[in-house]
Amino acid sequence: MRTPPDSSAFRTDIQGLRAIAVLLVVLYHSGVAVLSGGYVGVDVFFVISGFLITTHLLGTLQRDGRLHFADFYARRARRILPASFAVLIATVVASAIWVNPLQFTQVLEGAVWTALYVPNYLFAAQGTNYLAETIPSLFQHYWSLGIEEQFYLLWPALLAGSFLALRRRAALLTWVILAVGVLSFIACLLLVARVQPWAFFSLPTRAWELAAGGLVAALLLRRPAWATTRLAGIGAWVGLAAVIGSGFVLTSSTTFPGTATLLPVLGTAALIIGGSQATKWSPARILSLSPMLFIGKISYSLYLVHWPLLQIPQAAVGYDHPLPVWVTLLLGLAAVPVAWLSFRFIEEPFRTSTRAKKARPATTLWATAAASGVVAAVALTGMFVTNATPVSSGRDVQVSAALTVPPTVPPFVPANLAPPLRASGNDNAIVYSDGCHQEEGDSNSDGCWFGTDDRAPSVVLFGDSHAASWFPAFDELAEAGKIRLNSNSKSSCGSVLYAEERVKQQRPSCDVWRRAVIDRLRQDPPDVIALANFATSRLGGEADPRTAWSEALAKTIAELPSQSRVVILADTPDFQVTPALCLSAHVDDTSACAVPRSEALDDRVRQAEENTDGADWIDLTDRICDEQKCYPIVDNFLVTRDAHHMTKTFASALAPALEEKLDRVLP
C-alpha cells in the first residue's frame, strides 16, 4: 500500500503546475492566438497559493494551537516583496526613458497603488477590461499579486479566529473555508453581471479561488488514503486536461470570472489532489521533468518581468504600431533569463540567506513598511511634478468661430488645446457623474430630461456610450431652449436590436434596459428619436456587416413609435488607440497621429445607416475628417478622450452643426 502524500512536503508536481500556469500567461500575453484563454494561468496560481498557505496555517494551528503572525508576515514579505519592488522600480526607470510623457504619469500612478499593495482596486475603479485593454497599465499584471497580498493579510486572522471560536477543533475549519468559498463565488456571479471590472479585480469576488486551494489543503491535511488511489490519479489527468484545455477554449469574450472559471480552478484542485508522486497513475512524472521544475522555480520572477518586457517596447514604438508576434515571442523568451537573474540574485538571497533568516520579524516588517512608503512617496511626488508640466508645443492657435468643412488641423499640439492632453481622459459628459448614464449592470430606463423650455420639441437620445459622448452637443441645444432632451444611454448596450439572444446571455441587463426604453417611447412618443451606437464593435464577427446592420436598424425602427421621426447619428471615427498618447510624443507634428479615413470609419456601416428606410441620417464626420484622413485635433479642440469617445469639449463645439441638421427634422 502506498504511503499517502504529506501535504506539507515539497511537491515537484506543484512546481510543474506552476510552470504550466506561468507559461499560459506569458504565451497569452506574447500574442499566441490559439491560447485565447491563457489568462487562466493566474487562476491556477490562486488555487496553488490557497493550498500552500492554508496547508502551512492549518498545520501550525494543529501543532502549536496558535499562529505566529509576525513570523508568517515576515516570511511572506521576504518571499514576494524584494523581486516585486525590484521590478516595480526598474519599470518606472525604464518608463522614464522610453514611455511618452502622458503615459508616464499613468505609470507613476500605477506605481503608487502597487507599492501600497492595492493595484487591483485602481484597475477596478478605472473600469479596466483586462481581457481587451488596448493600452494597458505597465503594472496591470500586479493585480493578481495585490489579490494574494490582501489574502495573505486576512486569511491567517480568519482561520485563527475561527479556530478559537470553534474551541480549537481544527476539523471544523474545513466548513469555514467552504463557506467562504461559496459566499465569494456567489458574490462573483452577482457582480460579474453588473460591474465586471470589480468582479475581476477585487478580493471578495476572487477569494473563492484561493479558498478552493484552501479546501484541498484541509482535505489532504490528514493524508487520506483515497488521495493515492488510481481514481485520484485519473482525476489529476482530467484536471491537467481542464487547465490546459481552458487556455485554448476560453476567449476574451468569455464572461470572466464566472462559471467558466470553474474549469481551471477545479482542474487545478484535482491536479493537486491526485498529482503527487505517491498517487497511482498520477501525471507527477511529466510535471516533475527538469525543464518544468526550472520554469516552476523561476515562475514568480517570470510572471513579474515578462509584462514590462512586452509592454515597454510596445509603448516606445507607439500602440498604433503593434509589434509583430515574432517580436513579442522573442521578448517573452527573453523574459526567461531575466527571470532567472531575478530569482538567483534577488528572490533567493532575501528568502534563504542566513542574515535574512536571523532578522527579527519586526525588523523585516518595519523595513517592508518603510520601503513601501518611500516608493509610494517618490512615485506620488513624480506624479505631481509631471502633472504640473504641460504637454504641448507651447504655441497657441487662433480659435475659429465655428468648426469648418474641411476641418482646420493645426500641425502642432496647441498650448490652448481644449481639453489639455493631461485632462483629456476625464473630459466626460455630465451624464457619467449625475447618474443618468447607465453602467453595464444597471437597467433604469427612465432617462433624464434636460432643457429650459417645455414647449420646445422633444428629442430622445438613445444608445450606448457613444450616445453619451454625443450628449454635450444635444445638451447645448437643450440649454438654449431649442429642444427638450431625454437622454438614455448605457455602457456596451446599443439601442439597435442586434443579436438579441447573444446579448441576453452575456448582458441580460442590456436587453431589459433597451426593451424598457422602447416600451416607454411607444407609450409616450417624442418628436425625434436619435440613435447613436458604436456599431463596429458589435459587427466584428459578421461576414456581411452592412446587411446585418441594415436588418438590425430596420427591425429597431419597426418597433419605435411611428409618430416619431427617427434620426441615425453617423458614428465618430475610431482612432484605434488613444490619440492623446500619440500626441504627447509628437507635440510638433500632429500629422503623425492622424489616421487614414478608411481605417477610422467603416464604410459598410455608414452605407447601411445612410440608406435606412424610415430614418434620417446626420453625419458630422466632415468636421473631423477630410477625404484622406481623420484628425485628433481640430482647431484648438481635442476630438476624443480615448480611441473613439468624443471629449465633452469637442462634442459641445459640434452643437451648431448638429442644430443645423436637426432643424430639418424637428417639427
Side-chain angles (χ1 to χ4, degrees):
M1 180 177 178
R2 298 191 178 204
T3 302
D6 181 356
S7 60
S8 64
F10 177 78
R11 289 178 50 177
T12 55
D13 59 301
I14 291 181
Q15 198 77 307
L17 185 54
R18 281 191 175 116
I20 292 174
V22 77
L23 288 174
L24 282 171
V25 174
V26 172
L27 291 173
Y28 169 70
H29 286 155
S30 297
V32 178
V34 294
L35 278 176
S36 56
Y39 51 83
V40 300
V42 173
D43 303 277
V44 175
F45 277 126
F46 283 160
V47 180
I48 293 173
S49 294
F51 169 74
L52 295 175
I53 292 302
T54 307
T55 295
H56 169 73
L57 294 174
L58 292 181
T60 303
L61 285 172
Q62 281 193 333
R63 185 183 68 247
D64 302 339
R66 60 185 291 267
L67 294 182
H68 309 282
F69 286 98
D71 183 64
F72 172 82
Y73 292 131
R75 282 173 171 267
R76 287 292 87 203
R78 289 197 302 269
R79 169 68 180 90
I80 64 177
L81 295 184
S84 171
F85 275 96
V87 174
L88 186 159
I89 294 168
T91 299
V92 172
V93 172
S95 299
I97 299 171
W98 286 298
V99 170
N100 69 68
L102 208 60
Q103 192 177 2
F104 184 58
T105 304
Q106 299 170 3
V107 171
L108 292 172
E109 180 183 26
V112 172
W113 288 70
T114 300
L116 298 177
Y117 318 117
V118 287
N120 49 318
Y121 291 109
L122 169 65
F123 304 134
Q126 292 176 336
T128 300
N129 184 344
Y130 177 87
L131 303 181
E133 198 69 20
T134 55
I135 306 178
S137 165
L138 296 186
F139 294 108
Q140 187 165 290
H141 64 313
Y142 273 84
W143 76 271
S144 61
L145 191 58
I147 292 277
E148 294 202 15
E149 288 165 339
Q150 294 149 29
F151 174 77
Y152 296 152
L153 180 65
L154 300 175
W155 195 240
L158 175 65
L159 292 182
S162 300
F163 182 69
L164 293 176
L166 296 170
R167 300 180 181 179
R168 300 179 181 273
R169 288 177 288 182
L172 295 180
L173 289 178
T174 302
W175 296 102
V176 173
I177 296 170
L178 179 62
V180 170
V182 170
L183 291 174
S184 173
F185 185 63
I186 292 172
C188 175
L189 296 182
L190 292 175
L191 204 59
V192 75
R194 294 181 58 83
V195 194
Q196 191 272 345
W198 282 95
F200 194 99
F201 290 111
S202 69
L203 174 63
T205 52
R206 289 292 196 147
W208 69 273
E209 301 182 47
L210 293 133
L215 187 60
V216 172
L219 294 174
L220 295 184
L221 193 63
R222 296 182 181 273
R223 304 173 68 182
W226 55 261
T228 61
T229 62
R230 184 178 290 111
L231 183 60
I234 294 173
W237 280 104
V238 174
L240 180 61
V243 168
I244 296 176
S246 61
F248 289 92
V249 300
L250 302 185
T251 69
S252 61
S253 62
T254 302
T255 300
F256 205 91
T259 53
T261 322
L262 289 169
L263 186 60
V265 168
L266 295 182
T268 304
L271 256 172
I272 295 174
I273 290 172
S276 167
Q277 295 275 12
T279 303
K280 298 176 182 178
W281 290 11
S282 88
R285 183 172 297 178
I286 291 177
L287 294 172
S288 303
L289 292 173
S290 295
M292 301 291 285
L293 295 180
F294 172 72
I295 296 297
K297 181 172 65 174
I298 66 169
S299 59
Y300 177 59
S301 281
L302 182 55
Y303 180 80
L304 287 175
V305 304
H306 87 280
W307 184 250
L309 280 177
L310 287 167
Q311 291 300 317
I312 291 175
Q314 181 63 79
V317 302
Y319 290 92
D320 50 340
H321 298 94
L323 295 174
V325 173
W326 68 268
V327 172
T328 55
L329 283 174
L330 286 176
L331 290 170
L333 183 62
V336 174
V338 176
W340 179 83
L341 291 172
S342 172
F343 172 81
R344 173 66 179 80
F345 296 105
I346 300 175
E347 273 194 69
E348 281 295 276
F350 277 92
R351 187 175 68 89
T352 63
S353 70
T354 303
R355 183 176 180 182
K357 289 182 176 180
K358 287 184 177 180
R360 295 175 57 194
T363 302
T364 300
L365 295 176
W366 278 112
T368 297
S372 300
V374 168
V375 172
V378 171
L380 191 61
T381 302
M383 279 181 61
F384 286 124
V385 172
T386 55
N387 278 328
T389 306
V391 181
S392 75
S393 65
R395 292 168 284 173
D396 288 348
V397 293
Q398 186 175 354
V399 179
S400 303
L403 298 175
T404 60
V405 179
T408 302
V409 181
F412 51 83
V413 176
N416 59 336
L417 182 69
L421 291 181
R422 291 199 184 278
S424 60
N426 296 319
D427 199 51
N428 286 334
I430 194 174
V431 290
Y432 281 95
S433 58
D434 68 3
C436 185
H437 177 74
Q438 302 296 296
E439 295 299 340
E440 288 193 27
D442 302 325
S443 55
N444 187 323
S445 61
D446 293 340
C448 300
W449 284 100
F450 301 85
T452 58
D453 188 349
D454 291 338
R455 297 168 299 176
S458 56
V459 176
V460 167
L461 178 61
F462 183 20
D464 55 22
S465 58
H466 279 211
S469 74
W470 275 103
F471 170 82
F474 283 87
D475 189 43
E476 289 282 333
L477 304 184
E479 290 300 311
K482 305 293 179 63
I483 62 172
R484 286 187 302 119
L485 173 64
N486 183 254
S487 180
N488 302 264
S489 60
K490 178 173 167 62
S491 292
S492 301
C493 186
S495 54
V496 172
L497 298 168
Y498 171 74
E500 270 189 285
E501 294 306 316
R502 185 173 64 187
V503 170
K504 283 181 183 178
Q505 295 171 8
Q506 295 184 354
R507 298 189 181 94
S509 69
C510 177
D511 183 69
V512 171
W513 172 81
R514 181 176 49 239
R515 281 289 175 186
V517 173
I518 291 175
D519 289 344
R520 176 169 57 82
L521 297 181
R522 290 169 66 91
Q523 294 170 10
D524 185 16
D527 294 309
V528 174
I529 300 173
L531 305 178
N533 296 280
F534 186 20
T536 305
S537 69
R538 294 178 172 80
L539 297 169
E542 292 290 343
D544 185 1
R546 178 177 177 179
T547 300
W549 197 238
S550 293
E551 292 174 352
L553 286 167
K555 182 179 180 181
T556 305
I557 292 169
E559 297 215 17
L560 293 174
S562 58
Q563 304 95 312
S564 303
R565 290 285 294 271
V566 178
V567 167
I568 300 171
L569 296 173
D571 207 3
T572 46
D574 183 357
F575 289 93
Q576 308 301 318
V577 297
T578 303
L581 294 176
C582 177
L583 292 166
S584 71
H586 299 90
V587 294
D588 293 313
D589 181 20
T590 59
S591 64
C593 304
V595 177
R597 183 185 177 101
S598 59
E599 296 179 12
L601 301 173
D602 191 328
D603 284 335
R604 299 165 300 180
V605 169
R606 290 170 59 81
Q607 290 167 9
E609 293 177 342
E610 185 176 11
N611 298 311
T612 298
D613 292 332
D616 294 278
W617 193 49
I618 292 182
D619 181 17
L620 301 182
T621 307
D622 54 5
R623 271 71 173 180
I624 306 171
C625 312
D626 57 26
E627 294 182 358
Q628 286 77 40
K629 294 184 177 182
C630 295
Y631 301 95
I633 296 179
V634 172
D635 283 1
N636 69 316
F637 298 109
L638 181 66
V639 174
T640 62
R641 58 180 170 85
D642 56 19
H644 45 76
H645 291 92
M646 288 186 290
T647 63
K648 175 184 68 175
T649 307
F650 180 74
S652 297
L654 285 174
L658 176 64
E659 179 184 3
E660 180 184 342
K661 299 282 188 179
L662 273 180
D663 279 343
R664 302 173 186 175
V665 298
L666 290 173

